Every structure is written in structure tokens, then in C-alpha cells.
Amino acid sequence: MNFYYNLLITYILIGVVFASLFYFFIRKDVLKNYFFFLLFGIIGSFLGVFFDTIISFDPLKYIHFFREIFTLGIFWPSVFSFSVLFIYSRVFDNK
């Protein structure tokens, strides 16, 4: 049961990290509500998890350093979290 909590915490943390980076550094002028960036960052991370189960290609597994550090696939959740946040900021651009 502890493994599933680690999965949940890891993917939520990926969503939070990308939402924070995206909100504070990349698209700060778009929307003033951090909650929606956080929500879409976490949703994107879990979409990446589902995509990772369908496509088993993870480029980080081929790099020896990442293979020893990360036992979970973090490449696709990171890509999808960033992609969903980018699309969200472009759709709801207030300019």
C-alpha cells in the first residue's frame, strides 16, 4: 500500500512543481489565480501517467543516472503537465 502512496505523492508533486514554475516564471501575466494552474498541472501529470502506461518508451530509463535514482516514470507526466499548462495559458490568455 505504501507504493501507491508514493506514486500519488510523486505525480502530485510533479504537477505542483510544474504549476509553480509555470505560474511564477513563465506565464505570470496570464491569470492571477494560482489554483487553476495547480489543478491543470496535476491533471496533466496524471494524463502523463496514463500515457506512460500505454506507451512504455521513457527516455530517462536509458540514462544510467536516472535509472538508478528514479524507479517511477517521470518523463511523460512532466511533459504532459507542461503541455496542459501551456495550452491552458494560451486558451485563457487575457491579452
Side-chain angles (χ1 to χ4, degrees):
M1 198 54 116
N2 198 11
F3 175 74
Y4 295 112
Y5 290 132
N6 288 341
L7 281 176
L8 183 68
I9 290 171
T10 301
Y11 296 132
I12 287 175
L13 187 63
I14 289 172
V16 168
V17 165
F18 275 97
S20 299
L21 289 175
F22 205 85
Y23 180 76
F24 289 115
F25 295 113
I26 297 175
R27 299 292 295 174
K28 190 174 182 178
D29 59 329
V30 175
L31 294 173
K32 302 300 179 197
N33 198 350
Y34 177 71
F35 173 74
F36 290 111
F37 274 92
L38 189 63
L39 179 70
F40 281 104
I42 292 172
I43 288 172
S45 177
F46 281 104
L47 284 175
V49 171
F50 291 126
F51 187 77
D52 190 28
T53 59
I54 295 170
I55 304 294
S56 62
F57 175 70
D58 190 5
L60 296 181
K61 290 180 183 176
Y62 298 109
I63 301 172
H64 184 69
F65 173 75
F66 288 114
R67 191 180 334 156
E68 290 183 359
I69 300 296
F70 299 114
T71 59
L72 305 172
I74 62 165
F75 178 74
W76 290 115
S78 301
V79 167
F80 269 76
S81 181
F82 183 80
S83 300
V84 167
L85 285 168
F86 184 77
I87 292 169
Y88 171 70
S89 68
R90 290 294 178 188
V91 168
F92 294 105
D93 197 3
N94 289 334
K95 288 185 179 180

